Amino acid sequence: MKGVMIQGTASDVGKSLIVTALCRILANEGIKAAPFKSQNMSNNSYVTLDGREIGRAQGIQAEAARLEPTVWMNPILLKPRSDQHSEVVFLGRAIETFSGSEYREQFYEKGIEVIKKSLDHLKENFDAVVIEGAGSPVEINLKDREIVNMRVAELADVPVVLVADIDRGGVFASIVGTLDLLETQERQRVAGLIINKFRGDITLFEDGIQWLEERTGVPVLGVLPFVENHMIDAEDSLSLHTQFSNTKKGILDIAVIQLPFISNYNDLEPFLFEEDVSLRWVKHVSEFGQPDAIIIPGTKSTISDLENLKGKGLDRLIQKHVDHGGLVVGICGGYQILCSELVDEAGSDTGAPNFTQKGLGCIPAITTFYEEKKVNRVIGKYHKCTGLPENQQLVGYEIHLGKTVLTKKGFPFLTLENGADEGYFAKDGQIIGTYLHHLFHNDEWRNHWLNMIRKRKGIPLQDPTYIRNFKDNKYEILASKIKSHLKWDLLKEIINQGSTR
């Protein structure tokens, strides 16, 4: 198989972003290259056209490659539900929740089997594959049953490029230490090194490049700059937190409740393109302040995160905000948290059947959790009772357990393609609940909602910011920037060599 595997000396060294850039560079050269990650751990998922879940990163990488994402690009997705348990999404469908030890003991052979099947599918349908590793390939305590790094490179029989993050310090030790801890046959598979997140004058690092190549015998394929404000969807909340903290302080103050098991936080990223918006995380009462609006995002463990809010006293501040006319939007799990009552009939949210918990009571509704998970892409229009343009489409996707039913007469937010009512809309949009992820990626809706805030603050209304016009361009900018700092001809030769020596 032609291709390459991007592994890292640690987590968060930039593997996902580099794979995204390589997918676009190859696509621009007429090479149909598929992204692949055998196993992803993230609550930020992507819904494929056939209504299945994969890691958000692989969905974005496929977009960069100008491909339609499929489950073969990420056959195993682990979605954390607690500190020790994760839901296993297998070929796009949730199958079971395991503890870490249970997963290692029971899932290894099944994992290897589906990885082989996925790689065979990609080999048959694409010119090359760009594989992303996870964490470090030398986690010694996990190495005997790992299915994310060197074992995958061996199954695909592709060369490995090792990436290190110079911004965190210790780059020489991290590279040399990683290579020294690899077994001989694994070490021979490493065909190149990439130094990522470099700041400053590259000429000051030339001696470092020479030392690394002489010490390891492996060529340095590039020293990549620290790419700030790249606007590529984040895979984890740490990345998104960094993007939030780097934004300017706009006049519109939007507080995002930081739930412990927050999911699909890319719902918030369109606000990063809005010049007058300031997004900030709120994790504690001391951070709440007096926001213009609150967003409660999705969560993988709704009742647990609701109890966390109550334990911190944030529930009372949210209720007070709403009582005083403040705007609030709850998306998916955030919608459920705003309801009057949550009933875990099947034990699918808490693990305890028939567990009941009072919600924040901002929406007169009961959410009941069943066993079956709903995953699909959605197209809807504003419900006629909202007073919004009924012919305007909103697109997004649903990923959730549970059904929410209003207990008092209220207006739905949307009417879906199948004619079903969806969500909750009250007081001209002051309170909104919806299962529609990517709600704010709909430019006209996002502009309408922000203009509601602008009107309340007595500042000029604005025309929509059409971020969809920027989406493809951001892949081009990233690819151009990364390629200009790579020894691209050498890396391309490594990718095209197929099987390793």
Side-chain angles (χ1 to χ4, degrees), residues 299-326:
T299 166
K300 195 68 187 69
S301 295
T302 303
I303 293 176
S304 173
D305 281 355
L306 170 60
E307 291 173 341
N308 180 273
L309 283 184
K310 291 182 176 181
K312 293 177 177 178
L314 279 169
D315 58 325
R316 295 188 295 274
L317 291 182
I318 295 170
Q319 289 163 335
K320 184 178 179 182
H321 170 86
V322 173
D323 290 343
H324 285 77

Side-chain angles (χ1 to χ4, degrees), residues 44-46 56 60 63 233 264-270 331 394-397 435-443 445-446 471:
N44 207 20
S45 56
Y46 188 107
R56 184 79 194 160
I60 294 304
E63 287 183 1
D233 285 1
N264 292 86
Y265 20 78
N266 55 290
D267 286 339
L268 309 168
E269 288 180 315
I331 299 174
L394 284 85
V395 298
Y397 56 92
Y435 281 114
L436 189 70
H437 287 293
H438 264 208
L439 170 66
F440 289 111
H441 285 250
N442 292 275
D443 298 325
W445 160 253
R446 185 181 67 257
K471 192 169 187 179

Side-chain angles (χ1 to χ4, degrees), residues 107-161:
F107 207 79
Y108 179 76
E109 287 78 14
K110 190 172 183 177
I112 291 292
E113 182 182 343
V114 77
I115 291 166
K116 289 179 179 177
K117 186 176 181 180
S118 298
L119 288 170
D120 286 344
H121 177 88
L122 297 179
K123 184 177 181 179
E124 290 176 8
N125 291 277
F126 299 95
D127 302 328
V129 62
V130 184
I131 305 174
E132 179 184 339
S136 161
V138 289
E139 302 291 353
I140 303 303
N141 58 315
L142 303 174
K143 208 164 177 292
D144 62 322
R145 293 175 77 82
E146 69 93 0
I147 55 173
V148 292
N149 285 307
M150 281 298 178
R151 185 72 174 100
V152 177
E154 177 187 332
L155 291 173
D157 196 13
V158 294
V160 169
V161 171

Side-chain angles (χ1 to χ4, degrees), residues 78-276:
L78 305 181
K79 304 188 76 173
R81 301 194 63 177
S82 69
D83 291 339
Q84 296 188 15
H85 291 80
S86 292
E87 176 187 72
V88 178
V89 179
F90 186 78
L91 286 176
R93 302 292 191 200
I95 57 171
E96 197 168 346
T97 296
F98 288 106
S99 68
S101 58
E102 289 170 341
Y103 179 74
R104 272 176 58 80
E105 291 170 7
Q106 301 177 30
F107 207 79
Y108 179 76
E109 287 78 14
K110 190 172 183 177
I112 291 292
E113 182 182 343
V114 77
I115 291 166
K116 289 179 179 177
K117 186 176 181 180
S118 298
L119 288 170
D120 286 344
H121 177 88
L122 297 179
K123 184 177 181 179
E124 290 176 8
N125 291 277
F126 299 95
D127 302 328
V129 62
V130 184
I131 305 174
E132 179 184 339
S136 161
V138 289
E139 302 291 353
I140 303 303
N141 58 315
L142 303 174
K143 208 164 177 292
D144 62 322
R145 293 175 77 82
E146 69 93 0
I147 55 173
V148 292
N149 285 307
M150 281 298 178
R151 185 72 174 100
V152 177
E154 177 187 332
L155 291 173
D157 196 13
V158 294
V160 169
V161 171
L162 186 65
V163 178
D165 175 1
I166 196 171
D167 191 56
R168 67 175 64 189
V171 70
F172 298 103
S174 65
I175 291 173
V176 174
T178 299
L179 293 174
D180 283 354
L181 287 171
L182 290 172
E183 297 174 19
T184 301
Q185 69 274 18
E186 295 172 336
R187 171 68 177 73
Q188 291 172 347
R189 197 174 284 279
V190 180
L193 306 172
I194 289 177
I195 312 299
N196 196 25
K197 304 184 185 180
F198 185 86
R199 303 175 190 262
D201 185 351
I202 187 61
T203 61
L204 300 178
F205 193 65
E206 289 175 354
D207 290 347
I209 294 173
Q210 181 179 349
W211 184 90
L212 277 171
E213 292 184 333
E214 290 175 354
R215 173 67 173 77
T216 67
V218 181
V220 175
L221 301 174
V223 179
L224 308 183
F226 197 111
V227 182
E228 298 188 84
N229 299 319
H230 53 72
M231 296 299 182
I232 304 295
D233 285 1
E235 182 178 27
D236 53 53
S237 55
L238 176 62
S239 301
L240 192 56
H241 202 300
T242 301
Q243 288 192 57
F244 279 12
S245 63
N246 288 338
T247 57
K248 58 198 162 306
K249 300 302 179 184
I251 193 171
L252 306 185
D253 179 19
I254 300 176
V256 180
I257 305 301
Q258 187 174 352
L259 305 172
F261 294 99
I262 184 174
S263 66
N264 292 86
Y265 20 78
N266 55 290
D267 286 339
L268 309 168
E269 288 180 315
F271 293 111
L272 300 177
F273 293 89
E274 299 286 353
E275 292 290 334
D276 61 350

Side-chain angles (χ1 to χ4, degrees), residues 390-443:
E390 291 181 48
N391 61 343
Q392 186 173 311
Q393 278 193 344
L394 284 85
V395 298
Y397 56 92
E398 292 180 291
I399 309 176
H400 64 91
L401 288 166
K403 183 178 181 180
T404 300
V405 178
L406 299 180
T407 56
K408 295 181 181 178
K409 187 176 181 180
F411 297 145
F413 177 38
L414 302 173
T415 300
L416 303 183
E417 269 188 320
N418 61 7
D421 292 338
E422 197 284 326
Y424 178 80
F425 185 93
K427 301 180 181 178
D428 294 325
Q430 181 213 339
I431 305 171
I432 295 172
T434 180
Y435 281 114
L436 189 70
H437 287 293
H438 264 208
L439 170 66
F440 289 111
H441 285 250
N442 292 275
D443 298 325

Side-chain angles (χ1 to χ4, degrees), residues 274-313:
E274 299 286 353
E275 292 290 334
D276 61 350
V277 170
S278 174
L279 278 177
R280 57 186 177 88
W281 292 110
V282 172
K283 194 174 182 179
H284 301 288
V285 168
S286 60
E287 299 167 335
F288 193 84
Q290 294 182 312
D292 295 312
I294 296 171
I295 296 175
I296 308 179
T299 166
K300 195 68 187 69
S301 295
T302 303
I303 293 176
S304 173
D305 281 355
L306 170 60
E307 291 173 341
N308 180 273
L309 283 184
K310 291 182 176 181
K312 293 177 177 178

